[in-house]
Amino acid sequence: MSQPASSSSTPANGNDSSWKTGLRPPPKDIRPQTEDVTATKGLEFEDMKLHRELLMGIFEAGFERPSPIQEEAIPIALTRRDVLARAKNGTGKTAAFVIPSLQQVDVTKPKIQALLLVPTRELALQTAQVCKILGKHMGLQVMVTTGGTTLKDDILRLSEIVHVLVGTPGRILDLAGKGVADLSECPVFVMDEADKLLSPEFAPVMEQLLSFLPAERQVMLFSATFPMIVKDFKDKHMRSPHEINLMDELTLRGVTQYYAYVEERQKVHCLNTLFSKLQINQSIIFCNSTNRVELLAKKVTELGYSCFYSHAKMLQSHRNRVFHDFRNGVCRNLVCSDLLTRGIDIQAVNVVINFDFPKNSETYLHRIGRSGRFGHLGLAINLVTYEDRFNLYKIEQELGTEIQPIPQTIDRGLYVAPSGGEDSQVQRAPQQPQRQQPQQQQGQAAQQQKPQPTGTPVQRAGPPHAAPNQQQYIQQQQMARPGGQQPAYRGGVPVAR
């Protein structure tokens, strides 16, 4: 099974650092980090005997040293042993499997040599981008394929050379079943968010997909939670896997969790208060249904705040546009369903709000993990109604954490990096003619329970309001779309027709 090293790849010499002189890494991130990513044993990327071209991509991506999961997983994965790794959200799991996968690619061989499976389309795009960034100097070809896109385009792309294939299970099974994607010589098989991929929703697809892979293959499973179905898969399809468990606790140390006890009718009023008072860099707001996502996004836009939304019933092209633009800081707030709970890494998000409280601990864990990425600070606020009280208690017990009642004042040091820029500000609605005033009784209750945080400004990500340039931005995006196929917009948010 040993793969020859690429003829263009040179093992890096730890004593010779001259190759670093031409690299252009991003500005150093000076934000404080928690022990989730700093409690390492001192191993460096240069100690792992990686190809120099891969090391160049790693350092140009801004990776200075491995996180604990990378330090544990990469050396073992490089020996081609099966790996079963469990680590917290946002601690570097993606690079922990991408780096050893790329290391094993022989670019002189025009075959698919690494298959990276993920459960959602957005995560597939993100993972493929990480592969391209880290492998930019290696000359390898990365392809991403998901449902919701034209199958013909994928067939044409696979007629060319592809070394690393990233995608969702259904589409990859479709391509393999049609004989378009040849996985017969693919020695590396990775499942990210493995608990989701092995759930009843995906399990039959996974069994079929494995039949297209060679018997001699390396299997790597990564996730934050490992239910019993993962053990069943391990016993059936993995050979003496090296098990890594860095989950001494389930929640991220950098994420502070609060709940606000409200009535259903008070939620928008409470959210409006949070927007006007918190030092939000970017926020993700979760709802429990696609219908509520659209209704809330419309309401937030009417209140005058910049807001996009995304859910599974939107056209894939619109989902991609929203994800891309939010990641690039075009908009400050994103309302979404659980579509974006898994793996999505947007460093600027420092606040997650559960507008609807989740029904199980797994969903809660993945939602709040969208803030506090890679050991940084984050804030999770849960709007909890009378009906949610049992779920709140159950989730606290299952995760071994305590969700505190929201205080009158939230210390900005809990979720705002001390290096925040001076030109930043809290979100202000430019005009609120349609704001609904609560009834007197409701207002008194909200006054008792609504948070009154304070703080100073932080660096702004994107425009602070919805107006006045949002319509111009929308028109530009519409004009830029190929083929004249324009999205429908409602309240400044792209929606499915």
Side-chain angles (χ1 to χ4, degrees):
M1 279 302 297
S2 178
Q3 292 286 340
S6 165
S7 59
S8 63
S9 296
T10 309
N13 186 337
N15 299 322
D16 178 17
S17 60
S18 60
W19 55 272
K20 289 185 179 181
T21 56
L23 301 182
R24 295 183 178 180
K28 184 178 175 63
D29 190 341
I30 60 174
R31 292 178 294 172
Q33 293 176 300
T34 67
E35 292 183 356
D36 288 333
V37 296
T38 60
T40 63
K41 301 174 183 176
L43 186 68
E44 301 288 343
F45 285 117
E46 291 173 87
D47 299 330
M48 297 180 181
K49 301 188 184 304
L50 300 172
H51 297 319
R52 179 168 297 176
E53 291 79 6
L54 178 54
L55 276 175
M56 291 168 67
I58 290 171
F59 286 114
E60 278 201 336
F63 292 20
E64 296 179 359
R65 57 186 56 86
S67 68
I69 183 60
Q70 293 164 3
E71 190 179 54
E72 293 286 340
I74 293 175
I76 296 297
L78 290 175
T79 67
R80 295 178 173 81
R81 183 175 174 183
D82 288 358
V83 174
L84 190 66
R86 185 180 179 196
K88 296 180 187 179
N89 294 302
T91 55
K93 291 195 296 292
T94 301
F97 62 76
V98 167
I99 289 173
S101 297
L102 299 187
Q103 172 75 7
Q104 297 183 54
V105 170
D106 177 6
V107 296
T108 65
K109 187 177 179 181
K111 294 284 187 179
I112 297 172
Q113 298 169 54
L115 174 60
L116 314 183
L117 276 188
V118 297
T120 68
R121 299 167 185 178
E122 284 75 12
L123 185 52
L125 295 173
Q126 179 179 281
T127 303
Q129 185 65 17
V130 172
C131 292
K132 292 174 183 177
I133 291 171
L134 298 184
K136 63 182 291 187
H137 297 284
M138 299 180 66
L140 53 79
Q141 298 296 318
V142 179
M143 174 182 167
V144 59
T145 177
T146 67
T149 58
T150 307
L151 191 63
K152 179 182 177 182
D153 293 339
D154 287 346
I155 294 173
L156 290 173
R157 176 65 183 88
L158 284 165
S159 66
E160 303 171 358
I161 295 175
V162 174
H163 297 114
V164 179
L165 183 60
V166 184
T168 49
R171 174 53 64 91
I172 291 182
L173 177 60
D174 197 9
L175 293 170
K178 287 179 166 60
V180 179
D182 181 8
L183 304 176
S184 61
E185 298 181 47
C186 178
V188 179
F189 177 57
V190 177
M191 295 167 60
D192 189 19
E193 304 293 342
D195 59 332
K196 181 67 174 178
L197 289 174
L198 294 175
S199 66
E201 176 186 357
F202 289 107
V205 176
M206 298 304 304
E207 288 290 334
Q208 295 179 63
L209 193 53
L210 284 165
S211 66
F212 292 96
L213 290 160
E216 295 293 318
R217 60 187 176 237
Q218 179 185 23
V219 180
M220 292 187 274
L221 269 60
F222 285 76
S223 186
T225 56
F226 275 161
M228 284 301 296
I229 49 175
V230 175
K231 182 181 183 302
D232 296 338
F233 180 89
K234 179 193 76 170
D235 295 341
K236 185 176 181 181
H237 297 291
M238 301 179 75
R239 296 170 300 176
S240 303
H242 178 77
E243 297 189 30
I244 301 168
N245 185 2
L246 302 183
M247 300 289 285
D248 54 329
E249 57 185 355
L250 293 172
T251 54
L252 290 164
R253 296 181 185 180
V255 178
T256 302
Q257 306 165 70
Y258 292 125
Y259 73 87
Y261 192 70
V262 296
E263 296 180 32
E264 182 65 37
R265 62 181 181 176
Q266 296 172 335
K267 282 186 174 181
V268 173
H269 176 68
C270 185
L271 184 65
N272 189 33
T273 302
L274 293 172
F275 278 164
S276 63
K277 299 295 184 181
L278 289 178
Q279 309 297 314
I280 294 176
N281 195 15
Q282 280 188 296
S283 77
I284 299 180
I285 305 149
F286 287 102
C287 295
N288 287 348
S289 73
T290 58
N291 186 47
R292 285 174 68 83
V293 166
E294 293 200 19
L295 290 173
L296 180 59
K298 185 170 183 280
K299 188 64 182 176
V300 170
T301 305
E302 288 174 356
L303 290 172
Y305 299 104
S306 66
C307 175
F308 283 168
Y309 71 74
S310 181
H311 58 69
K313 293 182 180 179
M314 291 170 58
L315 293 178
Q316 186 60 41
S317 59
H318 297 172
R319 281 169 53 176
N320 292 350
R321 171 56 62 185
V322 169
F323 178 57
H324 176 271
D325 289 348
F326 182 69
R327 185 168 192 153
N328 288 337
V330 169
C331 186
R332 176 168 282 185
N333 307 296
L334 175 65
V335 182
C336 65
S337 59
D338 287 323
L339 182 74
L340 295 183
T341 54
R342 290 199 173 252
I344 298 304
D345 179 30
I346 300 176
Q347 292 285 325
V349 173
N350 68 331
V351 175
V352 167
I353 299 172
N354 282 318
F355 188 82
D356 294 331
F357 195 67
K359 294 185 172 18
N360 60 70
S361 56
E362 177 185 306
T363 300
Y364 179 81
L365 188 67
H366 285 287
R367 282 186 182 184
I368 69 170
R370 296 318 99 206
S371 69
R373 304 297 294 174
F374 210 69
H376 297 129
L377 302 176
L379 183 66
I381 296 180
N382 304 282
L383 305 189
V384 177
T385 65
Y386 182 77
E387 290 75 18
D388 296 322
R389 67 195 189 282
F390 293 115
N391 282 338
L392 177 67
Y393 176 77
K394 182 184 73 171
I395 287 173
E396 283 184 317
Q397 297 302 306
E398 291 179 358
L399 297 183
T401 189
E402 183 178 3
I403 305 173
Q404 299 277 357
I406 194 164
Q408 290 291 315
T409 300
I410 296 180
D411 180 7
R412 67 180 294 274
L414 294 174
Y415 67 103
V416 176
S419 58
E422 296 179 359
D423 64 335
S424 195
Q425 59 187 43
V426 296
Q427 296 191 88
R428 303 287 187 195
Q431 54 183 2
Q432 299 170 338
Q434 302 180 34
R435 179 184 298 177
Q436 297 179 355
Q437 296 297 332
Q439 299 173 358
Q440 183 176 3
Q441 183 178 0
Q442 177 184 343
Q444 292 173 352
Q447 185 66 30
Q448 294 173 358
Q449 299 169 21
K450 71 178 181 181
Q452 295 290 339
T454 186
T456 55
V458 297
Q459 187 172 352
R460 182 170 68 242
H465 325 300
N469 295 323
Q470 191 171 20
Q471 291 302 321
Q472 179 182 355
Y473 162 75
I474 291 169
Q475 291 170 3
Q476 291 173 347
Q477 295 305 317
Q478 289 175 330
M479 291 168 59
R481 289 179 181 271
Q485 184 179 7
Q486 309 302 343
Y489 282 83
R490 182 183 304 152
V493 183
V495 300
R497 292 186 189 277

